[in-house]
Amino acid sequence: MESLKIVVTGLAATYPFGGVFWDYIQYVLGFLRMGHDVLYLEDTGKWCYEPIEGTFVEKGERNALYLARNLEALDPSLSRRWFYRDATGCCYGRRWEEVKRFCKEADLFLHISASCWMKEEYFEAKKVAFLDSDPMYTQASVPAYVEGKADDGERSRIEMLLRHDVFFTFAENIGSSDCLIPKELFHWIPTRQPIVVECFEKNVLPIANRRRVLTTVASWEPAEGGPVVRGVQYKGKSAEFEKFMDLPTKSPIPLELAMSGRAPVERFRSKGWIMVDAYSVSSDPWVYRDYLASSFGEWSVAKNAYVVSRSGWFSCRSACYLALGVPVVVQDTGFKGIIPSGKGVLPFSTVDEAAQAIEELTKNPESHSRAALDLAMEYFRSEKVLSELLEKALSHAKGP
């Protein structure tokens, strides 16, 4: 494929955590290593998070420095391939005039996770694609909009989405008979997180050098509320954690949660969970990568909305574990028929299934570690994922 101009949006500066950095910047680095001219753009119109103070701030200078430093460390050629505007309107990285020109000439503007305040300049790209990383939440307002019952905010969000040309989603089971995600208005094309395996393969640790503990990095949502879709209340990750509170009593090895937000830490500890502060293991991309690599495996639930809707969603974080040869024991969202399961990826739906999967992992760690690496290469390698995304984005007719 000839070299293309591609814009990728994200939240790597707005939320300066290692996992968020990898979520978005692997798109940028993946496209760059395929020979494309790529620009990372972050323009949310919102305040950014300051993790040391634990609050949101209007001025983003420190967040911009974090982004610049880690892009340079990842690949020096990224040092001039970014633009960030904070809530005050202050711009960092590339000059705004250069950014406008790049967007106007771009073959593809990839809007990920509704992360961008979509100005008219951004819609000037030849093709504007939306990538839904938060299925069911993204589509929650669709039924009300179709029925003419959407409020102003819902209507505005849907009409912003409709201005895009092509639509991708991490809901890989969408369209199946058991998937409950609304399908009206949009033609959703399944995709998944790209992994630049070269960023992880040198950090794979021998089994003997890993901590004999299952880990994950997660956040406890600030409220129990979630989208109501066709009369059904969907919830976040906390609702699923509640179902597995007693799992440590059934697990043959310890379970550790690196948790942010207002989680009931003492109640978790009373049930046998090891609790650590999420920022201590995700303060930058390298600390985060080391934490994942040192784990015997991952154990995690998914958001209730992903599970109940049978979305087929698979975690970006879990894909990074796989690229480090670390097997994942993760809650099934409907991905079992899409991503091979049983070796490297061990899905569960109940406490007993989770305990059995952990037992299987402890009996055959080397086999599951090899399978994890194979799955990362076959199903998540950035060249494959991004080539397919580009082919579908550029060949798709304009409009929903």
Side-chain angles (χ1 to χ4, degrees):
M1 179 179 288
E2 64 181 31
S3 178
L4 303 172
K5 278 183 176 290
I6 301 172
V7 181
V8 174
T9 75
L11 296 166
T14 302
Y15 295 98
F17 298 97
V20 179
F21 182 90
W22 289 116
D23 288 352
Y24 296 103
I25 303 304
Q26 289 192 86
Y27 282 91
V28 182
L29 185 60
F31 283 132
L32 181 65
R33 294 194 174 182
M34 291 168 66
H36 300 300
D37 186 6
V38 62
L39 173 69
Y40 175 70
L41 184 148
E42 189 160 347
D43 186 9
T44 69
K46 298 179 181 179
W47 288 28
C48 53
Y49 192 68
E50 213 305 306
I52 302 300
E53 299 174 7
T55 188
F56 286 89
V57 297
E58 189 175 16
K59 186 71 172 174
E61 182 177 6
R62 277 192 284 186
N63 297 63
L65 289 172
Y66 163 91
L67 179 63
R69 180 176 66 251
N70 287 304
L71 286 173
E72 172 78 20
L74 181 62
D75 190 318
S77 63
L78 293 175
S79 62
R80 283 284 300 155
R81 295 180 177 274
W82 64 278
F83 170 83
Y84 169 56
R85 190 197 322 259
D86 68 18
T88 70
C90 187
C91 298
Y92 308 88
R94 294 279 280 271
R95 292 175 54 250
W96 173 235
E97 291 302 318
E98 295 178 51
V99 172
K100 287 196 295 184
R101 185 165 57 251
F102 193 101
C103 290
K104 188 171 185 177
E105 298 171 352
D107 297 284
L108 177 66
F109 187 103
L110 183 60
H111 182 193
I112 305 176
S113 309
S115 57
C116 190
W117 179 16
M118 291 297 290
K119 297 178 171 61
E120 290 303 318
E121 291 89 346
Y122 303 152
F123 282 110
E124 291 186 359
K126 295 182 181 68
K127 191 67 67 78
V128 182
F130 183 83
L131 197 158
D132 160 40
S133 64
D134 204 13
M136 186 54 89
Y137 290 81
T138 298
Q139 297 85 1
S141 300
V142 168
Y145 184 89
V146 171
E147 295 165 8
K149 299 176 181 179
D151 61 31
D152 290 345
E154 292 173 323
R155 186 165 53 252
S156 177
R157 286 191 293 273
I158 293 296
E159 289 175 355
M160 180 276 292
L161 287 179
L162 286 169
R163 293 191 64 188
H164 296 67
D165 302 312
V166 58
F167 304 90
F168 294 94
T169 181
F170 280 179
E172 293 202 65
N173 197 39
I174 198 163
S176 298
S177 60
D178 61 337
C179 182
L180 302 179
I181 295 172
K183 305 172 185 66
E184 301 95 326
L185 293 180
F186 303 95
H187 171 62
W188 293 103
I189 302 171
T191 187
R192 60 177 65 109
Q193 172 73 18
I195 297 294
V196 182
V197 294
E198 294 82 3
C199 293
F200 297 89
E201 59 188 3
K202 293 181 181 178
N203 298 87
V204 176
L205 296 177
I207 300 293
N209 292 358
R210 302 178 190 178
R211 302 166 56 224
R212 194 171 171 81
V213 59
L214 300 185
T215 68
T216 198
V217 184
S219 60
W220 193 269
E221 66 267 20
E224 287 297 321
V228 178
V229 184
R230 295 192 172 103
V232 177
Q233 170 80 65
Y234 293 92
K235 298 182 180 181
K237 192 172 285 189
S238 63
E240 296 303 317
F241 268 120
E242 291 286 356
K243 300 174 184 178
F244 296 91
M245 275 288 187
D246 294 326
L247 181 60
T249 63
K250 298 175 177 287
S251 175
I253 61 175
L255 303 174
E256 179 173 286
L257 302 179
M259 188 80 78
S260 64
R262 298 182 178 181
V265 173
E266 292 308 317
R267 186 154 68 90
F268 270 109
R269 286 178 175 151
S270 72
K271 296 288 188 177
W273 298 86
I274 301 170
M275 302 297 292
V276 300
D277 175 65
Y279 186 63
S280 68
V281 302
S282 60
S283 56
D284 68 36
W286 328 114
V287 170
Y288 178 85
R289 184 177 61 186
D290 290 345
Y291 180 71
L292 270 55
S294 68
S295 305
F296 195 80
E298 180 191 24
W299 181 89
S300 187
V301 296
K303 288 182 181 180
N304 170 265
Y306 302 163
V307 176
V308 175
S309 69
R310 305 304 294 162
S311 63
W313 174 91
F314 192 85
S315 168
C316 304
R317 178 195 61 253
S318 295
C320 291
Y321 273 104
L322 295 177
L324 291 161
V326 178
V328 300
V329 181
V330 288
Q331 192 174 18
D332 180 31
T333 65
F335 63 76
K336 281 202 297 187
I338 300 162
I339 297 171
S341 302
K343 287 288 186 181
V345 173
L346 296 93
F348 63 85
S349 295
T350 67
V351 171
D352 286 342
E353 288 176 359
Q356 291 168 9
I358 297 169
E359 181 72 32
E360 165 59 26
L361 172 56
T362 60
K363 290 179 178 178
N364 301 284
E366 293 284 356
S367 173
H368 285 289
S369 180
R370 288 192 299 270
L373 286 170
D374 290 343
L375 286 168
M377 291 289 290
E378 177 64 22
Y379 287 86
F380 295 93
R381 190 176 180 89
S382 60
E383 293 93 332
K384 179 175 182 178
V385 172
L386 296 179
S387 292
E388 292 179 358
L389 186 148
L390 281 177
E391 179 184 358
K392 292 173 181 177
L394 299 179
S395 63
H396 198 275
K398 290 180 75 69

